[in-house]
C-alpha cells in the first residue's frame, strides 16, 4: 500500500512539473510596444497600448463589451475577472496578470479601464511573442450583492455567465 502511495505521489509530481498554461485557443495579437492595438474576443473588444516601464511590461487600455453578443437586458456586471497573457507561438503562457473588478453597471460607451504589469522571468528574444486577454463574468438585469452580504441568487434572477481564459495542459 505504501509503495502505491509513493508511486502515485511521484507520478503526480512529474505530471505537475510538465503542465503549463496555454492560450492557444484564444484570439491573440503579436506583441508590440508603444503602439495602439485592438483585439476582439467573443464578448469583449480590447483597445490597449503595451509599454516598458522600470523593466516591467505594462498594458494600459479599455475593455468594451460587445452588446450585440450579450443577452438583451444584461445591465449589471458581477464577478468580473480580467487577465492579460503573453505567450509564445505555441500558446504557452510566459507571463500573466489578473485584476478583479467590483460589481458595476455595464456601460458600453465608457467600458472598463485596466492596467496590467508583468515581470516575466525570461522572454525569448528570438521568438515571436503574442498578447491576449482572458475574462470571467456574470451579467444580470439588476444589481445583486455578494452572497456573503445577501442570499445567493435564486431562480428568479436571470444570470448570464461567460469565460475565456488560459487552460492548464
Amino acid at each position: 500500500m505504501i509503495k502505491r502511495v509513493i508511486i502515485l505521489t511521484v507520478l503526480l509530481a512529474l505530471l505537475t512539473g510538465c503542465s503549463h498554461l496555454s492560450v492557444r485557443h484564444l484570439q491573440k495579437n503579436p506583441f508590440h510596444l508603444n503602439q495602439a492595438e485592438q483585439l476582439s474576443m467573443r464578448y469583449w473588444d480590447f483597445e490597449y497600448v503595451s509599454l516598458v516601464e522600470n523593466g516591467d511590461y505594462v498594458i494600459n487600455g479599455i475593455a468594451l463589451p460587445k452588446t450585440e453578443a450579450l443577452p438583451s437586458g444584461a445591465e449589471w456586471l458581477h464577478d468580473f475577472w480580467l487577465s492579460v497573457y503573453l505567450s509564445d507561438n505555441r500558446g504557452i503562457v510566459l507571463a500573466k496578470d489578473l485584476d478583479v473588478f467590483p460589481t458595476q453597471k455595464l456601460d458600453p460607451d465608457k467600458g472598463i479601464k485596466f492596467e496590467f504589469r508583468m515581470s516575466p522571468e525570461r522572454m525569448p528574444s528570438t521568438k515571436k511573442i503574442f498578447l491576449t486577454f482572458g475574462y470571467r463574468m456574470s451579467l444580470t438585469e439588476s444589481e445583486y450583492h455578494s452572497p456573503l452580504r445577501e442570499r445567493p441568487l435564486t431562480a428568479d434572477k436571470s444570470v448570464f455567465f461567460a469565460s475565456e481564459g488560459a487552460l492548464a495542459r
Side-chain angles (χ1 to χ4, degrees), residues 79-146:
D79 305 319
F80 185 52
W81 296 25
L82 186 57
S83 301
V84 66
Y85 305 99
L86 295 180
S87 66
D88 65 13
N89 60 345
R90 295 178 301 160
I92 295 174
V93 173
L94 305 170
K96 64 180 179 160
D97 195 10
L98 166 83
D99 200 357
V100 180
F101 295 84
T103 294
Q104 57 192 287
K105 193 159 176 92
L106 198 60
D107 187 340
D109 298 321
K110 183 176 144 191
I112 297 176
K113 292 183 181 182
F114 58 81
E115 178 178 293
F116 293 107
R117 289 187 171 274
M118 295 176 282
S119 301
E121 291 178 25
R122 307 183 277 144
M123 289 293 281
S125 59
T126 59
K127 295 182 181 178
K128 280 192 140 188
I129 304 299
F130 296 88
L131 184 141
T132 190
F133 294 93
Y135 57 86
R136 178 179 188 264
M137 67 175 177
S138 297
L139 295 172
T140 60
E141 293 177 1
S142 59
E143 183 180 16
Y144 74 89
H145 298 282
S146 164

Side-chain angles (χ1 to χ4, degrees), residues 16-168:
T16 303
C18 297
S19 68
H20 63 271
L21 287 178
S22 174
V23 291
R24 185 177 180 174
H25 61 289
L26 298 176
Q27 295 291 336
K28 54 190 154 290
N29 282 341
F31 180 64
H32 298 291
L33 292 172
N34 305 315
Q35 187 173 313
E37 302 275 348
Q38 295 182 339
L39 180 65
S40 184
M41 297 182 78
R42 181 174 288 160
Y43 297 109
W44 291 89
D45 288 325
F46 298 92
E47 298 175 359
Y48 64 94
V49 174
S50 303
L51 310 163
V52 174
E53 199 174 273
N54 297 327
D56 291 341
Y57 292 106
V58 179
I59 316 302
N60 287 308
I62 187 165
L64 298 162
K66 294 171 90 171
T67 53
E68 69 281 358
L70 298 173
S72 62
E75 294 185 9
W76 284 89
L77 180 63
H78 307 275
D79 305 319
F80 185 52
W81 296 25
L82 186 57
S83 301
V84 66
Y85 305 99
L86 295 180
S87 66
D88 65 13
N89 60 345
R90 295 178 301 160
I92 295 174
V93 173
L94 305 170
K96 64 180 179 160
D97 195 10
L98 166 83
D99 200 357
V100 180
F101 295 84
T103 294
Q104 57 192 287
K105 193 159 176 92
L106 198 60
D107 187 340
D109 298 321
K110 183 176 144 191
I112 297 176
K113 292 183 181 182
F114 58 81
E115 178 178 293
F116 293 107
R117 289 187 171 274
M118 295 176 282
S119 301
E121 291 178 25
R122 307 183 277 144
M123 289 293 281
S125 59
T126 59
K127 295 182 181 178
K128 280 192 140 188
I129 304 299
F130 296 88
L131 184 141
T132 190
F133 294 93
Y135 57 86
R136 178 179 188 264
M137 67 175 177
S138 297
L139 295 172
T140 60
E141 293 177 1
S142 59
E143 183 180 16
Y144 74 89
H145 298 282
S146 164
L148 298 175
R149 289 186 279 161
E150 190 176 283
R151 291 179 54 198
L153 290 177
T154 59
D156 61 332
K157 293 268 189 194
S158 175
V159 178
F160 175 80
F161 175 81
S163 177
E164 286 187 275
L167 300 174

